Amino acid sequence: MWHSAWLSCLLLSSAHGFQAAASTNAPSTAIARQRAASARLSISEIADFGVDVDGDFDDDVDFDVAGDAARCFATTRAPFLAIITEPDACDNEQRMEQTITAIRTALSTGLVDLISVRLQLPTQSDGHEVSTASHKEQSMDAFKERAVSLTRQMIELVSASGNNKHCRVVVSSDWVDVGVEAKAHGIHVKEKHFERLPQIKASFTYPPLIGMSTHSIESATRSFAKYDPDYYFCGTCYLSQTHPDKSADELEGPALPGQVKRALEQVCRDRDASSSHSDHVASPVKAPFVLGIGGIDATNCHDPVAKYGADGVAIIRAVLRAESPDEVVEAMKENMSKTVGRD
């Protein structure tokens, strides 16, 4: 597990370096940023250096240093578990309350690492978006109000959860304005929105956590080289209601997340090798986390992680539609951890 002695030493030494650098001048600040990013400091350690784990930054801490460190949504607890809201979570107040109740129960375990708010506009009974001229603007305003409210309540749940404050809340790149207004910890950028990332980052007054979706090794390595995200959702691993158009033959499969992870680690090794030939001494590059997604539940969650090397999984209905979301979360963490084999 990542709680091994050598990693503890690494985190401790990096933490001391980060604390010392954060109190000095700009060159030391740059070193601190490298150390923080490389070590993936724990949220409790970050808080010691002036970062409010609820999502804000103390005024007396260098903002760039604090921001980079706070981007780590989880640090020493692989395998990771992310929960993604159902697309209709903001259709009405009842659906919002159902979503909030399920996630509150899941968070009570202290085992949830990321919440991704992914939404789509409500539909009429015939399946078409509400778009008549007389109701479109009103409908959109009401929907965004609910979306902002839902996101803020997710953040409040995380903040109020004593054993789950490491968890982070991100919003889909379809709704960047919702994420900005709600002060989400970050944005999950869809593959089709990659080129918008500079504008998305610029929308925030603080350095946001950045996640990306990928469906291939080529897409992941290309986007990592250009944008350096914090994590990826990779799949579709299994048949999924989220992508009903994909047949079994069209699935990327449970092996892809691990393949992407290894490819990104190779990119990092190549970067490290290149930097070793320069006069500038840089900290080792850390690969982003890669989580499998698509049709994952407690019965198959171990495959992407244990068999193929992913860092964890992202789930939707397996938790949100469960009678006991907390029990499902605990079972999935246990099933993934049994055979991860990291000492």
Side-chain angles (χ1 to χ4, degrees):
M1 295 298 293
W2 285 16
H3 289 290
S4 59
W6 70 267
L7 184 58
S8 298
C9 293
L10 172 62
L11 287 172
L12 183 60
S13 62
S14 297
H16 288 316
F18 179 53
Q19 186 174 32
S23 63
T24 55
N25 55 18
S28 295
T29 292
I31 294 173
R33 292 176 65 182
Q34 293 171 353
R35 287 174 175 167
S38 175
R40 301 277 185 184
L41 297 177
S42 71
I43 297 301
S44 60
E45 290 168 328
I46 293 168
D48 290 340
F49 308 138
V51 181
D52 180 350
V53 292
D54 294 343
D56 299 321
F57 303 109
D58 292 349
D59 293 337
D60 58 349
V61 177
D62 180 273
F63 187 77
D64 287 337
V65 175
D68 277 7
R71 292 176 69 189
C72 306
F73 72 90
T75 55
T76 58
R77 298 180 356 127
F80 303 120
L81 183 66
I83 298 177
I84 303 173
T85 63
E86 294 185 87
D88 66 345
C90 283
D91 275 13
N92 51 58
E93 295 294 335
Q94 181 180 8
R95 284 294 295 121
M96 283 181 61
E97 186 56 37
Q98 291 170 345
T99 301
I100 292 166
T101 298
I103 290 182
R104 180 188 292 113
T105 305
L107 284 171
S108 70
T109 64
L111 300 175
V112 179
D113 301 290
L114 186 73
I115 298 170
S116 181
V117 180
R118 183 170 66 180
L119 307 167
Q120 68 182 27
L121 286 173
T123 57
Q124 296 175 322
S125 58
D126 60 1
H128 293 88
E129 289 186 359
V130 177
S131 57
T132 60
S134 60
H135 294 97
K136 185 175 182 179
E137 184 175 352
Q138 181 180 1
S139 176
M140 178 65 76
D141 288 346
F143 178 83
K144 284 190 175 181
E145 184 177 341
R146 291 194 299 269
V148 170
S149 175
L150 177 68
T151 304
R152 284 177 175 167
Q153 290 185 70
M154 295 295 102
I155 297 169
E156 290 169 3
L157 286 175
V158 167
S159 300
S161 176
N163 58 355
N164 231 135
K165 283 194 173 183
H166 68 280
C167 185
R168 286 297 182 243
V169 179
V170 299
V171 177
S172 167
S173 54
D174 289 320
W175 301 100
V176 174
D177 53 345
V178 169
V180 171
E181 185 174 347
K183 295 185 179 179
H185 297 116
I187 294 291
H188 184 86
V189 185
K190 292 185 175 181
E191 206 164 14
K192 64 182 180 180
H193 294 158
F194 282 0
E195 297 301 323
R196 300 183 192 173
L197 187 52
Q199 292 75 28
I200 290 172
K201 286 184 175 180
S203 300
F204 287 82
T205 58
Y206 50 89
L209 175 77
I210 296 296
M212 287 186 160
S213 294
T214 187
H215 296 85
S216 69
I217 294 174
E218 293 75 19
S219 171
T221 54
R222 187 168 57 248
S223 60
F224 177 52
K226 189 171 183 179
Y227 301 117
D228 195 22
D230 298 287
Y231 72 90
Y232 283 94
F233 287 163
C234 181
T236 308
C237 291
Y238 304 100
L239 291 174
S240 167
Q241 294 184 43
T242 305
H243 295 286
D245 53 316
K246 282 190 174 182
S247 67
D249 294 336
E250 296 171 319
L251 297 175
E252 286 83 9
L256 181 62
Q259 294 168 350
V260 166
K261 178 68 175 182
R262 289 188 289 276
L264 295 177
E265 289 174 338
Q266 183 60 54
V267 171
C268 292
R269 287 192 291 269
D270 293 344
R271 285 190 191 177
D272 291 340
S274 298
S275 65
S276 67
H277 298 297
S278 67
D279 295 332
H280 175 68
V281 179
S283 297
V285 180
K286 180 69 176 179
F289 302 119
V290 181
L291 281 66
I293 189 173
I296 293 174
D297 57 31
T299 67
N300 60 22
C301 61
H302 63 284
D303 284 348
V305 178
K307 286 187 179 180
Y308 301 115
D311 292 305
V313 297
I315 50 178
I316 306 176
R317 293 169 179 82
V319 164
L320 295 180
R321 296 197 180 185
E323 290 187 8
S324 302
D326 52 342
E327 294 180 5
V328 174
V329 167
E330 290 170 349
M332 293 185 74
K333 277 281 190 169
E334 182 179 0
N335 289 345
M336 288 190 290
S337 300
K338 280 181 180 177
T339 49
V340 169
R342 296 176 184 173
D343 299 319

